[in-house]
Amino acid sequence: MKSAVSSSLFFHSKNLLKPNPFSRLESVFLPKPSLRSIAKLPSSSTTSGLRSISSSSMASSFKPEQARVPSALPLPAPPLTKFNIGLCQLSVTADKSRNISHAKKAIEEAASKGAKLVLLPEIWNSPYSNDSFPVYAEEIDAGGDASPSTAMLSEVSKRLKITIIGGSIPERVGDRLYNTCCVFGSDGVLKAKHRKIHLFDIDIPGKITFMESKTLTAGETPTIVDTDVGRIGIGICYDIRFQELAMIYAARGAHLLCYPGAFNMTTGPLHWELLQRARATDNQLYVATCSPARDSGAGYTAWGHSTLIGPFGEVLATTEHEEAIIIAEIDYSILEQRRTSLPLNKQRRGDLYQLVDVQRLNSK
């Protein structure tokens, strides 16, 4: 069984009170060419050659490899280049057994349409409320009857031979509750658990107030996992607002980021698509999200609009707020094309800033 790789992080900016950086410009300037050497080259060759040398010297001075600590890992070769992903935007009710059965049918339908990876919404087995989390919580590690939701995911992933990013459900561990995403491989084995790191505590006067921290405990580690469909970084809803998490995943070689989420009717129209496109564009990888369908009569109303974003920030597939199953193609060969066109990894300013992967650094 492949295990998830977890990591703690912080963002580190180098001391800006260091000596004036312009005092080191002599290391960037080229030696002055002689007139004789210039005369031997056509004018265009001279310009092209000097530009190439200058660019190389500047890149070396900028220390792009030091912008990630430890250094970013190369993008691994994925197990397959192209495959279909299924995003199951589900209605959620107060009937847990119905929610589990409904999710199962949606996964089966997505697989029948060719999906090799299926993503479920945030809190798909329970109403989204602090009152509901303790009632619907499951002991995931115990499995079986103690966690009927994950038992279903395990059975279906093995039977259909697909990878499932199981949205999230309330998890009970002793006297603590977590908002937890489970990843099941095509063998039905639990490959990773991601506990929501950034709890949804907001207060927008006259619009929405919600405090997950009243009942939930924050997770302590980011989660990246190798699967049959590539290396995937996991976040849950509010996690998408923190670019450092996505940057860590990109530096660990993720091909795809998956965010089950339930944005609301206030922040959804403003930020949901914007954040997805930003995470994909900044890190030059795919981003997939999955929301519950909208229920205007529920205590918490989800925005919907489950979406797949490409590595140039393009919207590849999306839906509105009703129940839907989106099937869309992911093509990992595009990742290298985009990174060659915009070589951000070679242009970062490691001489000015660093992103530190604390757990990976400390494990060395």
mmCIF file with all atom_site columns, all heavy atoms in Angstrom, residues 308-334:
data_model
loop_
_atom_site.group_PDB
_atom_site.id
_atom_site.type_symbol
_atom_site.label_atom_id
_atom_site.label_alt_id
_atom_site.label_comp_id
_atom_site.label_asym_id
_atom_site.label_entity_id
_atom_site.label_seq_id
_atom_site.pdbx_PDB_ins_code
_atom_site.Cartn_x
_atom_site.Cartn_y
_atom_site.Cartn_z
_atom_site.occupancy
_atom_site.B_iso_or_equiv
_atom_site.pdbx_formal_charge
_atom_site.auth_seq_id
_atom_site.auth_comp_id
_atom_site.auth_asym_id
_atom_site.auth_atom_id
_atom_site.pdbx_PDB_model_num
ATOM 1   N N   . LEU A 1 308 ? -13.538 21.676 -13.257 1.00 0.00 ? 308 LEU A N   1
ATOM 2   C CA  . LEU A 1 308 ? -12.175 21.243 -13.558 1.00 0.00 ? 308 LEU A CA  1
ATOM 3   C C   . LEU A 1 308 ? -11.455 22.382 -14.257 1.00 0.00 ? 308 LEU A C   1
ATOM 4   O O   . LEU A 1 308 ? -11.952 22.932 -15.249 1.00 0.00 ? 308 LEU A O   1
ATOM 5   C CB  . LEU A 1 308 ? -12.175 20.002 -14.463 1.00 0.00 ? 308 LEU A CB  1
ATOM 6   C CG  . LEU A 1 308 ? -10.784 19.520 -14.908 1.00 0.00 ? 308 LEU A CG  1
ATOM 7   C CD1 . LEU A 1 308 ? -9.980  19.000 -13.715 1.00 0.00 ? 308 LEU A CD1 1
ATOM 8   C CD2 . LEU A 1 308 ? -10.897 18.451 -15.993 1.00 0.00 ? 308 LEU A CD2 1
ATOM 9   N N   . ILE A 1 309 ? -10.284 22.735 -13.729 1.00 0.00 ? 309 ILE A N   1
ATOM 10  C CA  . ILE A 1 309 ? -9.469  23.824 -14.261 1.00 0.00 ? 309 ILE A CA  1
ATOM 11  C C   . ILE A 1 309 ? -8.169  23.256 -14.815 1.00 0.00 ? 309 ILE A C   1
ATOM 12  O O   . ILE A 1 309 ? -7.538  22.399 -14.196 1.00 0.00 ? 309 ILE A O   1
ATOM 13  C CB  . ILE A 1 309 ? -9.143  24.867 -13.174 1.00 0.00 ? 309 ILE A CB  1
ATOM 14  C CG1 . ILE A 1 309 ? -10.421 25.372 -12.496 1.00 0.00 ? 309 ILE A CG1 1
ATOM 15  C CG2 . ILE A 1 309 ? -8.341  26.028 -13.756 1.00 0.00 ? 309 ILE A CG2 1
ATOM 16  C CD1 . ILE A 1 309 ? -11.303 26.224 -13.359 1.00 0.00 ? 309 ILE A CD1 1
ATOM 17  N N   . GLY A 1 310 ? -7.742  23.757 -15.982 1.00 0.00 ? 310 GLY A N   1
ATOM 18  C CA  . GLY A 1 310 ? -6.490  23.331 -16.591 1.00 0.00 ? 310 GLY A CA  1
ATOM 19  C C   . GLY A 1 310 ? -5.309  24.146 -16.108 1.00 0.00 ? 310 GLY A C   1
ATOM 20  O O   . GLY A 1 310 ? -5.466  25.161 -15.414 1.00 0.00 ? 310 GLY A O   1
ATOM 21  N N   . PRO A 1 311 ? -4.077  23.735 -16.471 1.00 0.00 ? 311 PRO A N   1
ATOM 22  C CA  . PRO A 1 311 ? -2.862  24.370 -15.947 1.00 0.00 ? 311 PRO A CA  1
ATOM 23  C C   . PRO A 1 311 ? -2.587  25.782 -16.464 1.00 0.00 ? 311 PRO A C   1
ATOM 24  O O   . PRO A 1 311 ? -1.654  26.428 -16.003 1.00 0.00 ? 311 PRO A O   1
ATOM 25  C CB  . PRO A 1 311 ? -1.751  23.409 -16.387 1.00 0.00 ? 311 PRO A CB  1
ATOM 26  C CG  . PRO A 1 311 ? -2.314  22.677 -17.550 1.00 0.00 ? 311 PRO A CG  1
ATOM 27  C CD  . PRO A 1 311 ? -3.777  22.550 -17.286 1.00 0.00 ? 311 PRO A CD  1
ATOM 28  N N   . PHE A 1 312 ? -3.388  26.273 -17.400 1.00 0.00 ? 312 PHE A N   1
ATOM 29  C CA  . PHE A 1 312 ? -3.299  27.670 -17.817 1.00 0.00 ? 312 PHE A CA  1
ATOM 30  C C   . PHE A 1 312 ? -4.411  28.497 -17.189 1.00 0.00 ? 312 PHE A C   1
ATOM 31  O O   . PHE A 1 312 ? -4.641  29.635 -17.571 1.00 0.00 ? 312 PHE A O   1
ATOM 32  C CB  . PHE A 1 312 ? -3.380  27.765 -19.349 1.00 0.00 ? 312 PHE A CB  1
ATOM 33  C CG  . PHE A 1 312 ? -2.099  28.221 -19.999 1.00 0.00 ? 312 PHE A CG  1
ATOM 34  C CD1 . PHE A 1 312 ? -0.875  28.084 -19.365 1.00 0.00 ? 312 PHE A CD1 1
ATOM 35  C CD2 . PHE A 1 312 ? -2.117  28.789 -21.263 1.00 0.00 ? 312 PHE A CD2 1
ATOM 36  C CE1 . PHE A 1 312 ? 0.296   28.493 -19.964 1.00 0.00 ? 312 PHE A CE1 1
ATOM 37  C CE2 . PHE A 1 312 ? -0.945  29.208 -21.879 1.00 0.00 ? 312 PHE A CE2 1
ATOM 38  C CZ  . PHE A 1 312 ? 0.268   29.059 -21.226 1.00 0.00 ? 312 PHE A CZ  1
ATOM 39  N N   . GLY A 1 313 ? -5.132  27.887 -16.233 1.00 0.00 ? 313 GLY A N   1
ATOM 40  C CA  . GLY A 1 313 ? -6.233  28.589 -15.585 1.00 0.00 ? 313 GLY A CA  1
ATOM 41  C C   . GLY A 1 313 ? -7.519  28.552 -16.379 1.00 0.00 ? 313 GLY A C   1
ATOM 42  O O   . GLY A 1 313 ? -8.469  29.280 -16.064 1.00 0.00 ? 313 GLY A O   1
ATOM 43  N N   . GLU A 1 314 ? -7.582  27.693 -17.400 1.00 0.00 ? 314 GLU A N   1
ATOM 44  C CA  . GLU A 1 314 ? -8.770  27.641 -18.240 1.00 0.00 ? 314 GLU A CA  1
ATOM 45  C C   . GLU A 1 314 ? -9.826  26.716 -17.622 1.00 0.00 ? 314 GLU A C   1
ATOM 46  O O   . GLU A 1 314 ? -9.495  25.677 -17.059 1.00 0.00 ? 314 GLU A O   1
ATOM 47  C CB  . GLU A 1 314 ? -8.410  27.156 -19.650 1.00 0.00 ? 314 GLU A CB  1
ATOM 48  C CG  . GLU A 1 314 ? -7.965  25.711 -19.778 1.00 0.00 ? 314 GLU A CG  1
ATOM 49  C CD  . GLU A 1 314 ? -6.475  25.473 -19.542 1.00 0.00 ? 314 GLU A CD  1
ATOM 50  O OE1 . GLU A 1 314 ? -5.900  26.162 -18.661 1.00 0.00 ? 314 GLU A OE1 1
ATOM 51  O OE2 . GLU A 1 314 ? -5.913  24.589 -20.197 1.00 0.00 ? 314 GLU A OE2 1
ATOM 52  N N   . VAL A 1 315 ? -11.083 27.124 -17.716 1.00 0.00 ? 315 VAL A N   1
ATOM 53  C CA  . VAL A 1 315 ? -12.187 26.303 -17.230 1.00 0.00 ? 315 VAL A CA  1
ATOM 54  C C   . VAL A 1 315 ? -12.462 25.222 -18.269 1.00 0.00 ? 315 VAL A C   1
ATOM 55  O O   . VAL A 1 315 ? -12.930 25.507 -19.371 1.00 0.00 ? 315 VAL A O   1
ATOM 56  C CB  . VAL A 1 315 ? -13.454 27.142 -16.985 1.00 0.00 ? 315 VAL A CB  1
ATOM 57  C CG1 . VAL A 1 315 ? -14.605 26.244 -16.538 1.00 0.00 ? 315 VAL A CG1 1
ATOM 58  C CG2 . VAL A 1 315 ? -13.191 28.212 -15.930 1.00 0.00 ? 315 VAL A CG2 1
ATOM 59  N N   . LEU A 1 316 ? -12.158 23.974 -17.921 1.00 0.00 ? 316 LEU A N   1
ATOM 60  C CA  . LEU A 1 316 ? -12.332 22.868 -18.856 1.00 0.00 ? 316 LEU A CA  1
ATOM 61  C C   . LEU A 1 316 ? -13.722 22.258 -18.782 1.00 0.00 ? 316 LEU A C   1
ATOM 62  O O   . LEU A 1 316 ? -14.237 21.757 -19.777 1.00 0.00 ? 316 LEU A O   1
ATOM 63  C CB  . LEU A 1 316 ? -11.276 21.789 -18.585 1.00 0.00 ? 316 LEU A CB  1
ATOM 64  C CG  . LEU A 1 316 ? -9.823  22.223 -18.767 1.00 0.00 ? 316 LEU A CG  1
ATOM 65  C CD1 . LEU A 1 316 ? -8.880  21.088 -18.389 1.00 0.00 ? 316 LEU A CD1 1
ATOM 66  C CD2 . LEU A 1 316 ? -9.574  22.652 -20.214 1.00 0.00 ? 316 LEU A CD2 1
ATOM 67  N N   . ALA A 1 317 ? -14.310 22.268 -17.602 1.00 0.00 ? 317 ALA A N   1
ATOM 68  C CA  . ALA A 1 317 ? -15.660 21.721 -17.427 1.00 0.00 ? 317 ALA A CA  1
ATOM 69  C C   . ALA A 1 317 ? -16.245 22.283 -16.145 1.00 0.00 ? 317 ALA A C   1
ATOM 70  O O   . ALA A 1 317 ? -15.529 22.454 -15.147 1.00 0.00 ? 317 ALA A O   1
ATOM 71  C CB  . ALA A 1 317 ? -15.633 20.195 -17.367 1.00 0.00 ? 317 ALA A CB  1
ATOM 72  N N   . THR A 1 318 ? -17.543 22.557 -16.164 1.00 0.00 ? 318 THR A N   1
ATOM 73  C CA  . THR A 1 318 ? -18.202 23.061 -14.959 1.00 0.00 ? 318 THR A CA  1
ATOM 74  C C   . THR A 1 318 ? -19.703 22.796 -15.076 1.00 0.00 ? 318 THR A C   1
ATOM 75  O O   . THR A 1 318 ? -20.179 22.266 -16.076 1.00 0.00 ? 318 THR A O   1
ATOM 76  C CB  . THR A 1 318 ? -17.926 24.565 -14.752 1.00 0.00 ? 318 THR A CB  1
ATOM 77  O OG1 . THR A 1 318 ? -18.368 24.968 -13.447 1.00 0.00 ? 318 THR A OG1 1
ATOM 78  C CG2 . THR A 1 318 ? -18.613 25.419 -15.801 1.00 0.00 ? 318 THR A CG2 1
ATOM 79  N N   . THR A 1 319 ? -20.436 23.143 -14.035 1.00 0.00 ? 319 THR A N   1
ATOM 80  C CA  . THR A 1 319 ? -21.884 22.983 -14.040 1.00 0.00 ? 319 THR A CA  1
ATOM 81  C C   . THR A 1 319 ? -22.491 24.113 -13.223 1.00 0.00 ? 319 THR A C   1
ATOM 82  O O   . THR A 1 319 ? -21.770 24.974 -12.706 1.00 0.00 ? 319 THR A O   1
ATOM 83  C CB  . THR A 1 319 ? -22.277 21.598 -13.462 1.00 0.00 ? 319 THR A CB  1
ATOM 84  O OG1 . THR A 1 319 ? -23.673 21.395 -13.645 1.00 0.00 ? 319 THR A OG1 1
ATOM 85  C CG2 . THR A 1 319 ? -21.951 21.499 -11.979 1.00 0.00 ? 319 THR A CG2 1
ATOM 86  N N   . GLU A 1 320 ? -23.806 24.101 -13.107 1.00 0.00 ? 320 GLU A N   1
ATOM 87  C CA  . GLU A 1 320 ? -24.491 25.124 -12.325 1.00 0.00 ? 320 GLU A CA  1
ATOM 88  C C   . GLU A 1 320 ? -24.681 24.607 -10.893 1.00 0.00 ? 320 GLU A C   1
ATOM 89  O O   . GLU A 1 320 ? -23.773 24.026 -10.332 1.00 0.00 ? 320 GLU A O   1
ATOM 90  C CB  . GLU A 1 320 ? -25.827 25.479 -12.999 1.00 0.00 ? 320 GLU A CB  1
ATOM 91  C CG  . GLU A 1 320 ? -25.659 26.136 -14.361 1.00 0.00 ? 320 GLU A CG  1
ATOM 92  C CD  . GLU A 1 320 ? -24.966 27.481 -14.283 1.00 0.00 ? 320 GLU A CD  1
ATOM 93  O OE1 . GLU A 1 320 ? -25.213 28.217 -13.302 1.00 0.00 ? 320 GLU A OE1 1
ATOM 94  O OE2 . GLU A 1 320 ? -24.179 27.808 -15.206 1.00 0.00 ? 320 GLU A OE2 1
ATOM 95  N N   . HIS A 1 321 ? -25.859 24.804 -10.304 1.00 0.00 ? 321 HIS A N   1
ATOM 96  C CA  . HIS A 1 321 ? -26.019 24.461 -8.889  1.00 0.00 ? 321 HIS A CA  1
ATOM 97  C C   . HIS A 1 321 ? -26.838 23.193 -8.651  1.00 0.00 ? 321 HIS A C   1
ATOM 98  O O   . HIS A 1 321 ? -26.936 22.718 -7.530  1.00 0.00 ? 321 HIS A O   1
ATOM 99  C CB  . HIS A 1 321 ? -26.668 25.628 -8.134  1.00 0.00 ? 321 HIS A CB  1
ATOM 100 C CG  . HIS A 1 321 ? -28.040 25.977 -8.631  1.00 0.00 ? 321 HIS A CG  1
ATOM 101 N ND1 . HIS A 1 321 ? -28.243 26.890 -9.636  1.00 0.00 ? 321 HIS A ND1 1
ATOM 102 C CD2 . HIS A 1 321 ? -29.280 25.535 -8.262  1.00 0.00 ? 321 HIS A CD2 1
ATOM 103 C CE1 . HIS A 1 321 ? -29.540 27.006 -9.862  1.00 0.00 ? 321 HIS A CE1 1
ATOM 104 N NE2 . HIS A 1 321 ? -30.193 26.194 -9.042  1.00 0.00 ? 321 HIS A NE2 1
ATOM 105 N N   . GLU A 1 322 ? -27.458 22.639 -9.692  1.00 0.00 ? 322 GLU A N   1
ATOM 106 C CA  . GLU A 1 322 ? -28.267 21.440 -9.519  1.00 0.00 ? 322 GLU A CA  1
ATOM 107 C C   . GLU A 1 322 ? -27.374 20.200 -9.419  1.00 0.00 ? 322 GLU A C   1
ATOM 108 O O   . GLU A 1 322 ? -26.174 20.261 -9.660  1.00 0.00 ? 322 GLU A O   1
ATOM 109 C CB  . GLU A 1 322 ? -29.232 21.276 -10.695 1.00 0.00 ? 322 GLU A CB  1
ATOM 110 C CG  . GLU A 1 322 ? -30.183 22.439 -10.908 1.00 0.00 ? 322 GLU A CG  1
ATOM 111 C CD  . GLU A 1 322 ? -29.623 23.468 -11.877 1.00 0.00 ? 322 GLU A CD  1
ATOM 112 O OE1 . GLU A 1 322 ? -28.433 23.337 -12.264 1.00 0.00 ? 322 GLU A OE1 1
ATOM 113 O OE2 . GLU A 1 322 ? -30.365 24.405 -12.231 1.00 0.00 ? 322 GLU A OE2 1
ATOM 114 N N   . GLU A 1 323 ? -27.999 19.075 -9.080  1.00 0.00 ? 323 GLU A N   1
ATOM 115 C CA  . GLU A 1 323 ? -27.262 17.814 -9.115  1.00 0.00 ? 323 GLU A CA  1
ATOM 116 C C   . GLU A 1 323 ? -26.707 17.575 -10.519 1.00 0.00 ? 323 GLU A C   1
ATOM 117 O O   . GLU A 1 323 ? -27.381 17.857 -11.518 1.00 0.00 ? 323 GLU A O   1
ATOM 118 C CB  . GLU A 1 323 ? -28.169 16.649 -8.734  1.00 0.00 ? 323 GLU A CB  1
ATOM 119 C CG  . GLU A 1 323 ? -28.337 16.443 -7.247  1.00 0.00 ? 323 GLU A CG  1
ATOM 120 C CD  . GLU A 1 323 ? -28.682 14.984 -6.936  1.00 0.00 ? 323 GLU A CD  1
ATOM 121 O OE1 . GLU A 1 323 ? -29.457 14.378 -7.702  1.00 0.00 ? 323 GLU A OE1 1
ATOM 122 O OE2 . GLU A 1 323 ? -28.180 14.466 -5.924  1.00 0.00 ? 323 GLU A OE2 1
ATOM 123 N N   . ALA A 1 324 ? -25.484 17.038 -10.580 1.00 0.00 ? 324 ALA A N   1
ATOM 124 C CA  . ALA A 1 324 ? -24.871 16.789 -11.882 1.00 0.00 ? 324 ALA A CA  1
ATOM 125 C C   . ALA A 1 324 ? -23.675 15.870 -11.707 1.00 0.00 ? 324 ALA A C   1
ATOM 126 O O   . ALA A 1 324 ? -23.071 15.801 -10.625 1.00 0.00 ? 324 ALA A O   1
ATOM 127 C CB  . ALA A 1 324 ? -24.438 18.097 -12.534 1.00 0.00 ? 324 ALA A CB  1
ATOM 128 N N   . ILE A 1 325 ? -23.350 15.166 -12.771 1.00 0.00 ? 325 ILE A N   1
ATOM 129 C CA  . ILE A 1 325 ? -22.118 14.390 -12.833 1.00 0.00 ? 325 ILE A CA  1
ATOM 130 C C   . ILE A 1 325 ? -21.332 14.893 -14.038 1.00 0.00 ? 325 ILE A C   1
ATOM 131 O O   . ILE A 1 325 ? -21.784 14.786 -15.179 1.00 0.00 ? 325 ILE A O   1
ATOM 132 C CB  . ILE A 1 325 ? -22.398 12.881 -12.958 1.00 0.00 ? 325 ILE A CB  1
ATOM 133 C CG1 . ILE A 1 325 ? -23.118 12.376 -11.711 1.00 0.00 ? 325 ILE A CG1 1
ATOM 134 C CG2 . ILE A 1 325 ? -21.087 12.113 -13.171 1.00 0.00 ? 325 ILE A CG2 1
ATOM 135 C CD1 . ILE A 1 325 ? -23.525 10.907 -11.781 1.00 0.00 ? 325 ILE A CD1 1
ATOM 136 N N   . ILE A 1 326 ? -20.186 15.473 -13.773 1.00 0.00 ? 326 ILE A N   1
ATOM 137 C CA  . ILE A 1 326 ? -19.337 16.020 -14.833 1.00 0.00 ? 326 ILE A CA  1
ATOM 138 C C   . ILE A 1 326 ? -18.282 14.983 -15.183 1.00 0.00 ? 326 ILE A C   1
ATOM 139 O O   . ILE A 1 326 ? -17.588 14.466 -14.306 1.00 0.00 ? 326 ILE A O   1
ATOM 140 C CB  . ILE A 1 326 ? -18.641 17.312 -14.377 1.00 0.00 ? 326 ILE A CB  1
ATOM 141 C CG1 . ILE A 1 326 ? -19.665 18.365 -13.953 1.00 0.00 ? 326 ILE A CG1 1
ATOM 142 C CG2 . ILE A 1 326 ? -17.724 17.858 -15.456 1.00 0.00 ? 326 ILE A CG2 1
ATOM 143 C CD1 . ILE A 1 326 ? -19.044 19.573 -13.287 1.00 0.00 ? 326 ILE A CD1 1
ATOM 144 N N   . ILE A 1 327 ? -18.133 14.681 -16.464 1.00 0.00 ? 327 ILE A N   1
ATOM 145 C CA  . ILE A 1 327 ? -17.060 13.819 -16.936 1.00 0.00 ? 327 ILE A CA  1
ATOM 146 C C   . ILE A 1 327 ? -16.158 14.667 -17.830 1.00 0.00 ? 327 ILE A C   1
ATOM 147 O O   . ILE A 1 327 ? -16.635 15.288 -18.792 1.00 0.00 ? 327 ILE A O   1
ATOM 148 C CB  . ILE A 1 327 ? -17.595 12.615 -17.735 1.00 0.00 ? 327 ILE A CB  1
ATOM 149 C CG1 . ILE A 1 327 ? -18.625 11.831 -16.908 1.00 0.00 ? 327 ILE A CG1 1
ATOM 150 C CG2 . ILE A 1 327 ? -16.448 11.722 -18.194 1.00 0.00 ? 327 ILE A CG2 1
ATOM 151 C CD1 . ILE A 1 327 ? -18.057 11.177 -15.675 1.00 0.00 ? 327 ILE A CD1 1
ATOM 152 N N   . ALA A 1 328 ? -14.891 14.737 -17.513 1.00 0.00 ? 328 ALA A N   1
ATOM 153 C CA  . ALA A 1 328 ? -13.966 15.575 -18.277 1.00 0.00 ? 328 ALA A CA  1
ATOM 154 C C   . ALA A 1 328 ? -12.606 14.890 -18.374 1.00 0.00 ? 328 ALA A C   1
ATOM 155 O O   . ALA A 1 328 ? -12.232 14.117 -17.494 1.00 0.00 ? 328 ALA A O   1
ATOM 156 C CB  . ALA A 1 328 ? -13.822 16.950 -17.628 1.00 0.00 ? 328 ALA A CB  1
ATOM 157 N N   . GLU A 1 329 ? -11.881 15.210 -19.433 1.00 0.00 ? 329 GLU A N   1
ATOM 158 C CA  . GLU A 1 329 ? -10.574 14.585 -19.665 1.00 0.00 ? 329 GLU A CA  1
ATOM 159 C C   . GLU A 1 329 ? -9.452  15.400 -19.041 1.00 0.00 ? 329 GLU A C   1
ATOM 160 O O   . GLU A 1 329 ? -9.433  16.631 -19.120 1.00 0.00 ? 329 GLU A O   1
ATOM 161 C CB  . GLU A 1 329 ? -10.307 14.440 -21.159 1.00 0.00 ? 329 GLU A CB  1
ATOM 162 C CG  . GLU A 1 329 ? -8.990  13.711 -21.468 1.00 0.00 ? 329 GLU A CG  1
ATOM 163 C CD  . GLU A 1 329 ? -8.701  13.586 -22.944 1.00 0.00 ? 329 GLU A CD  1
ATOM 164 O OE1 . GLU A 1 329 ? -8.315  14.594 -23.572 1.00 0.00 ? 329 GLU A OE1 1
ATOM 165 O OE2 . GLU A 1 329 ? -8.860  12.460 -23.476 1.00 0.00 ? 329 GLU A OE2 1
ATOM 166 N N   . ILE A 1 330 ? -8.522  14.704 -18.423 1.00 0.00 ? 330 ILE A N   1
ATOM 167 C CA  . ILE A 1 330 ? -7.278  15.289 -17.933 1.00 0.00 ? 330 ILE A CA  1
ATOM 168 C C   . ILE A 1 330 ? -6.148  14.738 -18.794 1.00 0.00 ? 330 ILE A C   1
ATOM 169 O O   . ILE A 1 330 ? -6.060  13.528 -19.016 1.00 0.00 ? 330 ILE A O   1
ATOM 170 C CB  . ILE A 1 330 ? -7.047  14.947 -16.454 1.00 0.00 ? 330 ILE A CB  1
ATOM 171 C CG1 . ILE A 1 330 ? -8.014  15.750 -15.569 1.00 0.00 ? 330 ILE A CG1 1
ATOM 172 C CG2 . ILE A 1 330 ? -5.606  15.210 -16.041 1.00 0.00 ? 330 ILE A CG2 1
ATOM 173 C CD1 . ILE A 1 330 ? -7.906  15.460 -14.090 1.00 0.00 ? 330 ILE A CD1 1
ATOM 174 N N   . ASP A 1 331 ? -5.300  15.619 -19.286 1.00 0.00 ? 331 ASP A N   1
ATOM 175 C CA  . ASP A 1 331 ? -4.170  15.247 -20.147 1.00 0.00 ? 331 ASP A CA  1
ATOM 176 C C   . ASP A 1 331 ? -2.889  15.801 -19.530 1.00 0.00 ? 331 ASP A C   1
ATOM 177 O O   . ASP A 1 331 ? -2.592  16.981 -19.651 1.00 0.00 ? 331 ASP A O   1
ATOM 178 C CB  . ASP A 1 331 ? -4.371  15.798 -21.558 1.00 0.00 ? 331 ASP A CB  1
ATOM 179 C CG  . ASP A 1 331 ? -3.249  15.396 -22.517 1.00 0.00 ? 331 ASP A CG  1
ATOM 180 O OD1 . ASP A 1 331 ? -2.277  14.750 -22.070 1.00 0.00 ? 331 ASP A OD1 1
ATOM 181 O OD2 . ASP A 1 331 ? -3.343  15.744 -23.710 1.00 0.00 ? 331 ASP A OD2 1
ATOM 182 N N   . TYR A 1 332 ? -2.133  14.940 -18.862 1.00 0.00 ? 332 TYR A N   1
ATOM 183 C CA  . TYR A 1 332 ? -0.939  15.394 -18.145 1.00 0.00 ? 332 TYR A CA  1
ATOM 184 C C   . TYR A 1 332 ? 0.178   15.856 -19.072 1.00 0.00 ? 332 TYR A C   1
ATOM 185 O O   . TYR A 1 332 ? 1.097   16.557 -18.629 1.00 0.00 ? 332 TYR A O   1
ATOM 186 C CB  . TYR A 1 332 ? -0.410  14.272 -17.251 1.00 0.00 ? 332 TYR A CB  1
ATOM 187 C CG  . TYR A 1 332 ? -1.241  14.013 -16.015 1.00 0.00 ? 332 TYR A CG  1
ATOM 188 C CD1 . TYR A 1 332 ? -1.359  12.727 -15.492 1.00 0.00 ? 332 TYR A CD1 1
ATOM 189 C CD2 . TYR A 1 332 ? -1.891  15.044 -15.340 1.00 0.00 ? 332 TYR A CD2 1
ATOM 190 C CE1 . TYR A 1 332 ? -2.097  12.469 -14.344 1.00 0.00 ? 332 TYR A CE1 1
ATOM 191 C CE2 . TYR A 1 332 ? -2.638  14.799 -14.198 1.00 0.00 ? 332 TYR A CE2 1
ATOM 192 C CZ  . TYR A 1 332 ? -2.733  13.502 -13.703 1.00 0.00 ? 332 TYR A CZ  1
ATOM 193 O OH  . TYR A 1 332 ? -3.463  13.263 -12.566 1.00 0.00 ? 332 TYR A OH  1
ATOM 194 N N   . SER A 1 333 ? 0.138   15.461 -20.361 1.00 0.00 ? 333 SER A N   1
ATOM 195 C CA  . SER A 1 333 ? 1.196   15.907 -21.275 1.00 0.00 ? 333 SER A CA  1
ATOM 196 C C   . SER A 1 333 ? 1.196   17.424 -21.428 1.00 0.00 ? 333 SER A C   1
ATOM 197 O O   . SER A 1 333 ? 2.212   18.027 -21.772 1.00 0.00 ? 333 SER A O   1
ATOM 198 C CB  . SER A 1 333 ? 1.028   15.246 -22.651 1.00 0.00 ? 333 SER A CB  1
ATOM 199 O OG  . SER A 1 333 ? -0.150  15.702 -23.312 1.00 0.00 ? 333 SER A OG  1
ATOM 200 N N   . ILE A 1 334 ? 0.057   18.035 -21.143 1.00 0.00 ? 334 ILE A N   1
ATOM 201 C CA  . ILE A 1 334 ? -0.048  19.492 -21.259 1.00 0.00 ? 334 ILE A CA  1
ATOM 202 C C   . ILE A 1 334 ? 0.765   20.199 -20.179 1.00 0.00 ? 334 ILE A C   1
ATOM 203 O O   . ILE A 1 334 ? 1.209   21.336 -20.359 1.00 0.00 ? 334 ILE A O   1
ATOM 204 C CB  . ILE A 1 334 ? -1.529  19.912 -21.195 1.00 0.00 ? 334 ILE A CB  1
ATOM 205 C CG1 . ILE A 1 334 ? -2.267  19.379 -22.415 1.00 0.00 ? 334 ILE A CG1 1
ATOM 206 C CG2 . ILE A 1 334 ? -1.685  21.431 -21.107 1.00 0.00 ? 334 ILE A CG2 1
ATOM 207 C CD1 . ILE A 1 334 ? -3.762  19.644 -22.406 1.00 0.00 ? 334 ILE A CD1 1
#
